[in-house]
Every structure is written in C-alpha cells, then in structure tokens.
Amino acid sequence: MPMEKTFNAAEAEPRLYAAWEREGAFVAGANASRPETFTIMIPPPNVTGSLHMGHAFNNTLQDILVRWHRMRGFDTLWQPGQDHAGIATQMVVERELAKSQQPGRRDMGREAFLGKVWEWKSQSGNRIIEQLKRLGASCDWSRNAFTMSGAPGAPAGEDGNFHDAVIKVFVELYAKGLIYRGKRLVNWDPHFETAISDLEVENLEVDGHMWHFKYPLAGGETYEYVEKDADGNVTLRETRDYISIATTRPETMLGDGAVAVHTSDERYASIVGKLCEIPVGPKEHRRLIPIITDEYPDPTFGSGAVKITGAHDFNDYGVASRNGIPMYRLMDTKAAMRADGAPYAEAAARAQEIANGAAFDGAEVDTLNLVPDEMRGLDRMEARKLVVEQITAEGLAVTHAVTRTDKETGETVTETVALVESKKIMQPFGDRSKVVIEPMLTDQWFVDTQKIVGPALDAVRQGMAAQEAGTFDPAAGYTRILPERDAKTYFHWLENIEPWCISRQLWWGHQIPVWYGLDLGDAAFRDDEGDGALDEVELGRLLNAGGMLHRGEVMACAADLESVTERFRDSIADIPAPLSHARIVEVADKPAAITALAASLAEYNVSQDPTALVFPVWRDPDVLDTWFSSGLWPIGTLGWPEPTPELRKYFPTDVLVTGFDIIFFWVARMMMMQLAVVDQVPFHTVYVHALVRDEKGKKMSKSLGNVLDPLDLIDDYGADAVRFTLTAMAAMGRDLKLSKDRIAGYRNFTTKIWNATRFAEMNGVFAAARPEGIPQPAHTVNRWIIGETARVRETVDEALTAYRFNDAANALYAFVWGKVCDWYVEFAKPLFDGPEADETRATMAWVLDQCYLLCHPVMPFITEELWAMTGTREKSLVHADWPTYGTAALLDPAADREMNWVISLIEQVRSARAEMGVPVGLKLPMVLVEATPEARAAWSTNEPLILRLARIDSLTEAAMPKGSITIACEGATFALPLEGVIDVAAEKARLTKAVEKLDKDLNGLRNRLGNPKFVANAAPEVIDETREKLAQGDEEAARIRAALARLADIG
RNA sequence: GGGCGCGUAGCUCAGCGGUAGAGCACUACGUUGACAUCGUAGUGGUCACAGGUUCGAUCCCUGUCGCGCCCACCA
C-alpha cells in the first residue's frame, strides 16, 4: 500500500498513544536494560486545570528527557498526578453549586460539601490527564497520584496515602517545634474568608488618596513646631495644638494605638510621651493615645508622624509589637466593620484604661470592638467616607489654599480646602479572588521556616559551586538550578524568608491534625471538699474557665483521635483522679465542648462512675495550605511514610522541570520539606524554563484574549509540530513568543521527514530486511552521510545532557532537512540506477532509522508511525535502543572533504546559472579547464551526481572557451560555455563582486598573520587555521582573477 | 527603592573571545524520479551607544540610553 502524501496526525496520534498504553510502554521499569533509574516528578496540575501553553511547554521538555532516557535503557519513571488546589477547587465547586441552585457550602455543612468536591473531582478532575495524553506525555499513568488521596471521606479509588504523609509531617514538625500557632497579622482574603500566604498576594498600583488630619494634643496643650531646611535654616515656626498625620486608610484610625515619630525627629521631641486624641468617633468618648518614638517613621516623608494601627498594617504591627502598643481589630472576616461585642462607649472606656497604663490582654484583640456604633456592620469603604466627613466637618482636616478661576466671573478665587492628595498607592489583591486583601490579626498556624531553611540553602549553594567548577555529580546529594541565574532568585527569597502561614479557613484540604480541649490543668478544676463530686461553685468555676479559654487551650497534635487520647492522658496527669479516667470524645466546637463537659460532670456527680466522665475535644477546623502538601510531592507520590520499594528505588529523583513562577511556591518548599523530613534533596537538578507568551510578547491571558490553546494547535498542526516548536524555542531562560507561523513551519518539517520516507519506500529501500549493525558502504556519498549521522547523534546527546533543548531540535532539523533531504536523497537518485544501488538502499534505510530514533523524543508520534511502516521491528520505537555509536568511528574525513567539494561545486554552478539567467530546464555542457589530481578523482567518483544536480549534460576537457562563465573551486577551474547567451559585462561584474568580497576577507586574514603579536599570542591551532584559510582563499581568488583576465581578452 | 535580565537581518530569536547564523517574511525562477506543508538562487546586519581590557570584542569590564520581569512596608 503506497504511503499517503502527508502524515495524518489527527488519525494517527490517538491510535499510537492507545497502542503505547496497551503495551504498558510508560510503566516504570518496562523494558529497562540497565540498572540506573531516571525519575521525574511532574509538577502536578490543579484538578481544576486544563492544559495551557505553559503546561504544554513544561511537559514537552519533561517528555523529551523521559523518552530519551527510556530509550537509553534507564529504568524510567515519570510520576504523574494532580494537586487538590484548595482555594481554586473549593471556588469552582461552590460556583457549580450556585449555578445549579443547590444549597451553598455553609448550608450543606462540611461533610456534605466535601462529598460534592470529591464527586466533582471524579467527574471533571481528569480532563487535564486526557489533554496531556494528546500532547504525547509518556507518564506512568498506573501510578497517577493525588495530593488528597487517602484523606477521610475520599471515595474508593482515591485510597493512596498522600494524606497520611502530610499529616505525619505536620505532627513531626510540630513535635520538633517547627510548626507553631500564633495570633499574627496575616493577609486575609475577605472573599474566601481565609488567610493566604504572602506569595498569594499580588501588589498592584491603584489610584488612591492620602488624607492629612490633625490629632489634637490632650488637654489643649501646645508646642512650638519648627521646620528647617537642609542647611538648618528655619523655614517655619508656629505654635501648634495638634500633630499632623497622613493616612491612605482613614477608617483604620479607629484602631490606632499610638502615634509614632522618628527617634531623632526634633520637631516632635517636646511632645513625645504626651497623649493626643484620635479625631474621630463620638465626641464624648474620644480616645487618647500616646506619642512614641520608633525607628520606623521617615522624618522626611509627610509630617514625619505616623499613626500606629497594629491590627491593620504590617509596618504598624511591627512598631506596635516592639513598643507594647495595643492592637484593635476593626473588621470581621468579610472585611466589614465589626458589629460584635459591647457597645462602643464601653469598649472605648476600656481602651482608655489601657492607654492609661492598664495591661492589654491579648484576647482583647477579639473582644474589644472600637468601631463606633453607627459604623458597625458597614463596608470599610463606607466607614472611610464617614470618618473623612466627620473629621472635615470638625475642622480637623489639614487644609491648604487653592487658587482657581471662577468659570462665571472669570475672577481668580483663593479658597481653603481640605488637603487630599491623589496618589498611586500599592494595594494588595488576592491572586485568586482578585479582591483587596486586608492585613488581619488572627490565630494561624505557621512553619518556622527560618529554622529549616539552612539545609535548603546549603544544598543549592554546593550544587551551584559544583556546577560552576564543572564537577557536578548527580549523586552527591546537592542540587543545582539551571539556568544559573534562577539560583539567584532562589537564594534571594530563601535568605529573606518569612514565617509561612499554612492554615487556611477552607474546607477542601488536609484538615489540621490538632485537637483543642478545655484547659483543666490549674485552678479551674478543684474539688474543694475533696468529696469526689463537683458542687455548683466548682462546676461554675470550671465552665467559666472553659468559656474564657482563648489562650489556655490544651492542644494535642496527632494523626488521629486515638493518638490524641494518649497525648491527653499525659497532659492531664496532674488532674484529680476521677477526671483522668475521662473518655475523650470529639465534638464540633468549643461551646459544644462546654455543654458536653457540663453534662458529663453532672452525670459523674450522680453516678460517681469515673467512666461516665467525658473529656470533650474539638478539632481545628482549618486546612493546610495546598503548597504544604505539594511540598511533599516527591516522597508522597512514592508511598512515604511507608518504606516502599519505589521510594527506595526512585528517590531522590533526578530532574525537576518547572516554570520560574513557582520557584518560591514549590521548588524552595520541596527543598526545605524533603530535607526536613527525610534529610535528602528531592532532585539533583532543577531546570527552570521561561514563560510562553503570545507573538507580540504579551503574557497570554483570558482577559487579553490572546491565549493559544495547545489543544487547538494540536488539532491544527499535530502534537509533534507543537512539541517541536516549543523545543526549538526553548533557549534557556528566555521567554518564548509563540506564533502559528512558526508551528506551521515545524509541521512542514514533519511532512518533510514523512516524504523522505515515502521516497525511500517508493524506491524499494525497505524491501529487504535490514542487516545487523551499521552499514559499511564503499561509495563516498554513503560513507559521508553515515558520518553526518554520527555527528548529529553526538550533538543531540550533548545538547540534551546540557538541557539545551533548542540545540537538539535545531541540530535535528538541520540534519534531516539540510543534509538528508536536500542532499543525500538527491544524491541517491542517480545511485539507485548504478552499481551502488544496493548499498545505497541499505544506507538510506539505516539513516532514516537513525532519524526516527533521534527525533523520537521530540516527535514521538510520527516517528513511531514511520518506524512501524518501514520494517518489521522487534520492539516499538518507544523502547528501541538509542544509538550509541561514536562519531570518530563512523567519520570518514576523506569522504567528508570530497562531498564538501561536490556540494560546493554544485552550489556554485547553480548560483552562476541563476545569476546569468540560464533557464532551469536547460542542460549545459561543462568544460574542465584545469584541475589537480584530487579534484579529478572527486569528479569522477561523483560525476553522475554532479551532472544531475548541477544540470550539466557532459564534461569535456579543454581550454577556457570564449564567452563562458567561470566556476572556480578548490583545486579546479571549470567553465560553462555560454557564448551568445551570456552578457560579458554581467559575468565580469559577477566575478569582480566575488573577488572583491574574497579580497576583503583575505586582507583581514593577512593583516592578522602580519601582526607579530597575533602570531606570538594566539593559540597555535587558530594560527594554523588562519593560514589555511588564507591559502585556500588566495588560490580561489587567483582562479577568479585568471577568469577575469580571460574575459578581458574577449571583451 | 532593591534585585535579575534583555537590546544581533523587516519580524521572532540562536550564538557569547578568532571577524555573524536560523526560521519566518521578501524578490526572481521552477510541473526536476518523495515533498508546492516543495525546490533553486538571491536581497537583507557599524551585532543599542560610548569608553576600557586583549594580538583580536557581538561575546569580557565600566558607563549611558531604551525595554521587560521579580521582590519591597514610605504612612
């Protein structure tokens, strides 16, 4: 059956992929012929994800490495899987519920909601896997992993043990003191109502305003305010009864705890330590706050005085913490002004006691609500408006004079207005929710990253040092980052690392394995009478303690409730005997716990049976940051904490291929966590690739509408073309601008290799069985192409070893198209008619096989198809043996030189013909004017090829005929007699141009060789090379000059 | 404000001490034993600018000018 004219990717690709899967071709260990392993962990796409260009790029590169190693016989594992993506997934499922008019998350409750998420996952969560298959990704799907597998509530089929790994790590790090809980200022997403990490915040510049307000000094006190210029000259001196404060967020004034000025600021030295009044809120309850000093305020900015709102600003939080300034939370979880707690008057009175020196109880962050009654429940923007109006109305806004021209009268008017500067401010937004993020003082869990960052830094420092020294060893236990520049990003972030907030107020995720109980340890529980029963007083005291337990909660961090029971036994050892026999029972929350305890104590009093006592605990409702679990991807996917054979075999993994955008999120955290947990680096090399942009260099985004969907491209051009394009453009560390033209070009390349095969097939190249081994033909052409093949094999191996994917792709392209198709196939045509037909067929069959083999990692589909079509094969191309022949053994320098001469001669003839306007169809006679014996030999060996490709009908030896074109090449001068056809002047111009160009080059070479310093200092091989070039060039120039001279005779 | 990078043919980019390459685009020609998703030939570059190091610089160093990206707490 004759081959089609082009490869039908749409038909063939799914068929070929299915065949690979049927054979189990991607299963780790399949067909491995050597003991070494090669492992890549896929960066797990989100379950909610669908394949975008970034994935296509990332996975193409991984697949190339994987397929290359697999063919080389490594026991190869490409571990696939998906990330549960806490926020993103919860968001998607909630949206689905809303769309289908189902009850919302909170209405259906946690368990039911999680059921919905799992349901969604099983229905829609596999889309990206199918898409990766279309790309040709050769992952071991039998091992597909999920970061939530094995979690409570997971349905059948999701029973891996990733959850166990995550929980175990949390418990261990907690035990080591590397995870702690604390009330800290965190980034709060008011839409999702959860904390997020620094990395999930994008800071964007927006239009904002800066207001300037007067905070009056307490009791109407005054001071002399003096401003000086840089030279110390007084520029302003006035008596003031206020301190001027600037703010972009007036609503936060309600939570101010102090005003700070710089330690060295002389302007305010006289009022430091005094009190000033926050100019907002009910007049009769204005709060007074102290004026303090700190290093933070910048005396050159604004008035130099800063209001300190510890609960709503990261800088202020630092100042407040350092100086013991109370922090008052003003907003609720939706970032509306708080509506809970006692009325404002009461709260303000308490705040004033604190300002006057009463101790601030940390719990008061949550219990004191300093939002004035009329602002409670308002959106923060509404509250801001009210605050500004109120202050302005009272005349406490700083004013300035503005002159303007009255439109009607045309007069110039000067008026005094409140000073409101319009300015660009940086505002934080949630990267998922896109809403404004609020700094919020809440209880969260943190990883003490400073304590575990050391090994992660050391490992890469060593890896980079080795890389630079050229002594990099994959087995040495360190990690290098390529390109080197990205290591700087890694270092910079890790060296300045902040504690990592890992708790999220979400439901979809790994629930934090921590249980709280009532703190019954100290005075709260006391059996005053010692009668073993609790009377009402004793009970009341206990419950009262329970109700107040903000701080004294007893915690147990353990994998499950059973382990919790054991921990509690320890922690309640000093509790009176009856209670220590209590059973531990999990309840939903704290109020329920108090009720349960009361009931069980009553029961105990009646029964006096210690086993009637119930000790209630409740689990932390928060879940872990998704990146906490994906940070364990390398060991978690291999079965850790179980000592599985896979873990032993495939860990540490080899290479991580990832985008630079998740160096912080993921790479750094994997390094830290794997080192902290199993004390090994997770991979020896991190290959960081750039971003795929549109053809104009813009980031692809839905809102810009410039997104290229890889699946559309695969439909249009085939997966191989898309892969080859991405590979050819993968210059290390540089963003790539993708255009359809480029892909079409590489699609043409697939067609080219297809048609070279088609040609071979039509000429009986595959008719005979392939002999074993590498052919050993006699003809120069065949010997030459074998050498070229050996060269490209070496180039591809070197390029892939160095992760220079584009070099590999370009070398293949240049070889297949530029050498095999352009020359070898053309040379073969006449050879098929001659005595070398057999050896040429054998050589061509071998060469094409090498093309399939070498191209397969980049273009797996078409090569597999051609492999199958062109012979009876022992195994599929996926598992065929990667060529290992050396270049030197297959290179024939004489054949090389000869073919270069032939090619150059043909090119010169073609060029001359085209320039002289000789019709392509016209065959010309050629005259050999003079030649060295080598040139004569080269001619005679290759005569049929030259005649054919240069379109010459015969060669005769004669003196230079009149009116002919000169072809000067190494060792020979030829002529194309074109009397009457050629224009002597044109030929003269052609030759003159050629000789001038040559002369220019030759002069350069001569000058260099004439420079004694060059001869003295340059490398000997460079000098030799230069001399050789000069000699060759001189010879050629001489021939052209001779031709010119002859032309002159004619002319 | 810090950090990182980039300015090479009309476009997109390789190259990074020995005198400049690819693809696309463009021009002319073309029914050549596979391929028009093709072939042949060609046009096109003070390698941003200015200094320095060197026998020699697109490549290394310094500065300038343009352009990106990342990080950052100026109220």
Side-chain angles (χ1 to χ4, degrees):
Chain A
M1 191 174 57
M3 283 173 73
E4 297 292 324
K5 280 180 103 171
T6 56
F7 174 57
N8 184 350
E11 179 278 321
E13 289 175 358
R15 167 168 52 77
L16 292 164
Y17 198 94
W20 286 327
E21 285 209 276
R22 226 178 302 120
E23 294 178 28
F26 309 148
V27 173
N31 270 28
S33 62
R34 43 160 138 171
E36 302 104 300
T37 60
F38 180 75
T39 311
I40 291 190
M41 295 281 161
I42 203 170
N46 289 353
V47 268
T48 56
S50 66
L51 197 77
H52 56 63
M53 265 347 283
H55 290 126
F57 184 35
N58 174 256
N59 287 293
T60 295
L61 300 184
Q62 291 177 73
D63 198 40
I64 290 169
L65 293 174
V66 164
R67 286 179 184 269
W68 177 50
H69 278 90
R70 194 182 283 128
M71 289 173 81
R72 293 202 292 160
F74 285 76
D75 179 349
T76 302
L77 167 62
W78 187 8
Q79 172 67 51
Q82 289 150 287
D83 193 292
H84 69 277
I87 291 188
T89 309
Q90 182 163 322
M91 183 169 82
V92 167
V93 175
E94 284 197 82
R95 206 187 289 146
E96 295 272 309
L97 290 178
K99 227 189 282 172
S100 58
Q101 317 273 315
Q102 295 187 64
R105 165 166 76 100
R106 290 183 202 282
D107 294 331
M108 70 170 63
R110 186 166 189 142
E111 209 173 312
F113 178 74
L114 291 179
K116 290 280 179 195
V117 181
W118 281 111
E119 205 177 288
W120 178 89
K121 197 249 172 193
S122 71
Q123 282 166 10
S124 318
N126 284 334
R127 185 171 45 158
I128 198 158
I129 293 178
E130 295 312 312
Q131 295 174 325
L132 283 169
K133 290 181 180 180
R134 293 229 31 219
L135 221 213
S138 62
C139 303
D140 183 352
W141 299 110
S142 70
R143 300 188 46 81
N144 197 37
F146 184 50
T147 57
M148 277 280 278
S149 71
E158 300 283 4
D159 44 6
N161 69 342
F162 211 102
H163 177 73
D164 296 345
V166 173
I167 296 304
K168 186 176 166 70
V169 168
F170 187 99
V171 172
E172 283 184 0
L173 294 183
Y174 176 81
K176 288 184 192 158
L178 297 170
I179 287 183
Y180 60 88
R181 183 166 184 260
K183 192 181 282 297
R184 298 290 141 85
L185 202 56
V186 295
N187 297 295
W188 185 267
D189 186 316
H191 179 256
F192 293 118
E193 297 179 62
T194 177
I196 56 178
S197 76
D198 301 347
L199 290 175
E200 291 159 283
V201 174
E202 327 178 77
N203 291 300
L204 300 176
E205 198 178 66
V206 297
D207 291 318
H209 300 281
M210 189 155 77
W211 288 269
H212 298 258
F213 297 134
K214 296 173 178 174
Y215 280 44
L217 294 189
E221 257 192 79
T222 60
Y223 66 108
E224 185 163 74
Y225 177 83
V226 180
E227 246 171 40
K228 293 176 181 168
D229 64 16
D231 303 324
N233 304 312
V234 173
T235 55
L236 177 69
R237 183 189 297 272
E238 61 182 23
T239 300
R240 283 186 177 178
D241 60 355
Y242 65 88
I243 185 163
S244 175
I245 304 289
T247 180
T248 53
R249 307 201 49 195
E251 72 279 12
T252 65
M253 288 168 66
L254 300 165
D256 287 354
V259 165
V261 297
H262 193 262
T263 325
S264 68
D265 199 333
E266 290 174 24
R267 292 173 294 179
Y268 303 111
S270 65
I271 54 169
V272 166
K274 303 206 164 153
L275 298 174
C276 63
E277 187 182 279
I278 303 172
V280 70
K283 264 235 143 116
E284 59 283 16
H285 295 296
R286 288 280 158 90
R287 288 168 46 217
L288 294 173
I289 52 174
I291 298 167
I292 62 164
T293 59
D294 193 86
E295 296 301 317
Y296 162 65
D298 174 0
T300 65
F301 184 83
S303 69
V306 189
K307 67 192 213 51
I308 301 301
T309 320
H312 290 280
D313 181 283
F314 285 98
N315 292 313
D316 295 6
Y317 178 77
V319 177
S321 304
R322 280 196 289 279
N323 295 283
I325 302 300
M327 309 183 204
Y328 303 113
R329 183 164 63 80
L330 299 170
M331 295 171 203
D332 63 18
T333 57
K334 292 191 165 76
M337 305 309 283
R338 280 173 66 181
D340 63 312
Y344 177 78
E346 219 172 284
R350 169 62 190 152
Q352 206 51 61
E353 282 175 39
I354 295 165
N356 291 338
F360 175 68
D361 176 347
E364 287 177 296
V365 168
D366 295 314
T367 55
L368 265 190
N369 179 359
L370 287 173
V371 178
D373 299 336
E374 75 271 18
M375 294 187 199
R376 293 194 176 189
L378 290 186
D379 180 85
R380 59 199 189 284
M381 296 303 156
E382 290 295 312
R384 173 180 302 177
K385 215 191 284 174
L386 284 181
V387 167
V388 172
E389 276 168 15
Q390 197 182 347
I391 298 174
T392 311
E394 273 183 50
L396 287 172
V398 175
T399 56
H400 65 154
V402 176
T403 49
R404 62 178 177 89
T405 310
D406 191 302
K407 272 182 198 147
E408 286 170 20
T409 63
E411 285 168 35
T412 303
V413 221
T414 303
E415 50 190 318
T416 305
V417 299
L419 176 57
V420 183
E421 296 176 55
S422 289
K423 67 180 285 192
K424 299 275 182 198
I425 53 172
M426 293 299 278
Q427 201 162 37
F429 290 86
D431 64 356
R432 292 263 170 212
S433 64
K434 308 294 176 198
V435 303
V436 174
I437 296 302
E438 289 293 335
M440 197 75 86
L441 200 49
T442 54
D443 290 302
Q444 301 292 346
W445 287 94
F446 296 87
V447 174
D448 195 346
T449 41
Q450 280 102 335
K451 289 202 182 125
I452 58 169
V453 74
L457 276 166
D458 290 344
V460 177
R461 284 200 188 109
Q462 289 167 24
M464 295 316 292
Q467 169 72 10
E468 219 160 307
T471 57
F472 180 79
D473 171 9
Y478 44 54
T479 300
R480 67 172 162 177
I481 296 177
L482 300 175
E484 288 179 41
R485 136 161 55 95
D486 284 291
K488 290 181 187 166
T489 316
Y490 176 89
F491 288 133
H492 184 258
W493 190 68
L494 284 189
E495 280 161 3
N496 298 290
I497 197 160
E498 295 286 328
W500 172 17
C501 176
I502 51 170
S503 42
R504 297 288 180 276
Q505 288 65 51
L506 304 170
W507 288 352
W508 176 240
H510 297 280
Q511 192 172 354
I512 289 177
V514 166
W515 281 261
Y516 304 97
L518 300 174
D519 180 0
L520 306 176
D522 45 24
F525 182 94
R526 211 164 57 238
D527 179 10
D528 293 334
E529 289 89 15
D531 59 0
L534 298 171
D535 62 27
E536 279 192 15
V537 176
E538 291 159 347
L539 198 58
R541 187 169 56 211
L542 180 54
L543 295 181
N544 193 33
M548 293 293 288
L549 285 176
H550 261 283
R551 293 155 298 152
E553 291 154 350
V554 173
M555 295 187 295
C557 178
D560 50 47
L561 194 58
E562 238 169 81
S563 320
V564 171
T565 306
E566 283 165 37
R567 303 285 168 92
F568 268 101
R569 292 263 173 254
D570 297 342
S571 71
I572 60 176
D574 57 344
I575 289 175
L579 200 58
S580 68
H581 295 295
R583 280 177 299 120
I584 298 213
V585 169
E586 184 167 351
V587 296
D589 55 23
K590 186 162 30 181
I594 293 164
T595 313
L597 182 62
S600 93
L601 286 169
E603 169 74 8
Y604 166 73
N605 278 346
V606 172
S607 66
Q608 289 284 311
D609 171 9
T611 61
L613 269 172
V614 167
F615 193 102
V617 296
W618 63 97
R619 188 169 181 173
D620 196 310
D622 292 353
V623 300
L624 288 166
D625 178 8
T626 301
W627 298 101
F628 187 91
S629 49
S630 39
L632 296 166
W633 189 243
I635 52 173
T637 48
L638 294 173
W640 189 90
E642 298 304 317
T644 61
E646 288 82 6
L647 195 61
R648 226 174 305 124
K649 199 166 179 184
Y650 299 110
F651 188 87
T653 74
D654 289 271
V655 192
L656 178 76
V657 178
T658 189
F660 68 85
D661 50 334
I662 53 174
I663 292 180
F664 306 141
F665 275 108
W666 195 45
V667 180
R669 283 161 179 174
M670 275 194 286
M671 289 293 292
M672 285 195 289
M673 290 177 85
Q674 255 63 211
L675 283 162
V677 174
V678 293
D679 197 23
Q680 289 185 77
V681 295
F683 22 70
H684 60 67
T685 298
V686 179
Y687 176 81
V688 179
H689 65 248
L691 221 60
V692 181
R693 296 171 179 278
D694 76 359
E695 52 196 314
K696 295 191 190 86
K698 288 242 164 59
K699 208 166 165 171
M700 291 187 185
S701 76
K702 279 184 196 147
S703 53
L704 283 175
N706 60 348
V707 178
L708 283 179
D709 182 340
L711 295 162
D712 292 345
L713 297 175
I714 290 172
D715 287 342
D716 292 349
Y717 302 100
D720 290 325
V722 173
R723 292 169 58 114
F724 204 98
T725 308
L726 293 170
T727 310
M729 297 178 86
M732 227 190 257
R734 184 140 166 167
D735 285 352
L736 51 97
K737 294 179 192 161
L738 192 65
S739 72
K740 287 195 175 186
D741 284 349
R742 195 75 187 247
I743 304 170
Y746 289 115
R747 186 269 326 271
N748 297 352
F749 177 63
T750 64
T751 306
K752 194 73 183 172
I753 193 171
W754 178 269
N755 274 292
T757 303
R758 184 161 173 260
F759 166 81
E761 203 267 330
M762 290 165 80
N763 284 280
V765 165
F766 310 119
R770 285 173 177 70
E772 280 288 305
I774 300 162
Q776 302 201 319
H779 198 278
T780 329
V781 168
N782 291 323
R783 301 181 67 75
W784 162 78
I785 196 65
I786 288 172
E788 291 295 331
T789 309
R791 275 209 184 97
V792 75
R793 189 239 104 224
E794 187 177 1
T795 307
V796 169
D797 274 334
E798 282 173 0
L800 291 182
T801 303
Y803 301 93
R804 301 179 64 94
F805 296 95
N806 56 322
D807 285 354
N810 291 331
L812 288 167
Y813 186 97
F815 172 69
V816 172
W817 200 316
K819 291 278 181 355
V820 176
C821 295
D822 286 350
W823 292 106
Y824 184 63
V825 166
E826 296 303 323
F827 289 149
K829 288 174 183 173
L831 293 184
F832 283 153
D833 298 332
E836 297 89 358
D838 285 347
E839 71 159 57
T840 303
R841 288 199 175 90
T843 305
M844 184 172 286
W846 180 84
V847 168
L848 288 171
D849 276 359
Q850 306 312 302
C851 292
Y852 311 147
L853 288 160
L854 295 171
C855 288
H856 182 260
V858 187
M859 305 195 298
F861 291 109
I862 191 172
T863 49
E864 184 72 79
E865 179 85 336
L866 291 171
W867 181 256
M869 291 171 80
T870 54
T872 313
R873 312 288 189 169
E874 258 172 55
K875 39 189 175 182
S876 304
L877 188 54
V878 220
H879 281 133
D881 297 330
W882 184 259
T884 54
Y885 38 77
T887 310
L890 299 190
L891 217 53
D892 179 343
D896 226 30
R897 221 176 308 119
E898 189 170 307
M899 290 320 296
N900 284 341
W901 184 86
V902 169
I903 288 171
S904 148
L905 174 60
I906 292 169
E907 282 177 339
Q908 283 208 61
V909 173
R910 283 171 172 174
S911 175
R913 290 175 58 121
E915 235 169 295
M916 289 300 117
V918 178
V920 181
L922 183 64
K923 288 199 171 187
L924 297 176
M926 187 147 90
V927 175
L928 174 58
V929 180
E930 49 152 340
T932 60
E934 290 78 21
R936 283 172 193 279
W939 176 279
S940 72
T941 312
N942 301 288
E943 181 165 40
L945 327 187
I946 302 170
L947 294 183
R948 180 189 177 88
L949 296 188
R951 304 199 64 75
I952 303 296
D953 60 7
S954 64
L955 183 77
T956 48
E957 193 157 354
M960 175 68 74
K962 279 176 94 178
S964 58
I965 301 179
T966 307
I967 308 293
C969 64
E970 196 185 344
T973 303
F974 296 91
L976 294 173
L978 279 172
E979 197 166 12
V981 179
I982 69 150
D983 173 351
V984 174
E987 171 65 351
K988 205 177 202 172
R990 186 182 77 93
L991 294 176
T992 308
K993 194 175 149 200
V995 85
E996 273 170 3
K997 184 175 181 307
L998 209 48
D999 275 339
K1000 203 184 136 206
D1001 292 349
L1002 295 176
N1003 280 336
L1005 296 175
R1006 252 189 292 276
N1007 285 344
R1008 249 198 289 167
L1009 285 168
N1011 183 342
K1013 284 184 183 168
F1014 173 72
V1015 182
N1017 294 325
E1021 60 270 22
V1022 172
I1023 299 175
D1024 287 348
E1025 209 179 290
T1026 311
R1027 287 208 172 105
E1028 203 178 313
K1029 261 193 227 162
L1030 181 61
Q1032 250 179 53
D1034 274 338
E1035 199 233 56
E1036 196 182 333
R1039 288 176 192 284
I1040 300 176
R1041 264 186 249 282
L1044 271 170
R1046 283 188 293 266
L1047 261 186
D1049 292 346
I1050 305 162

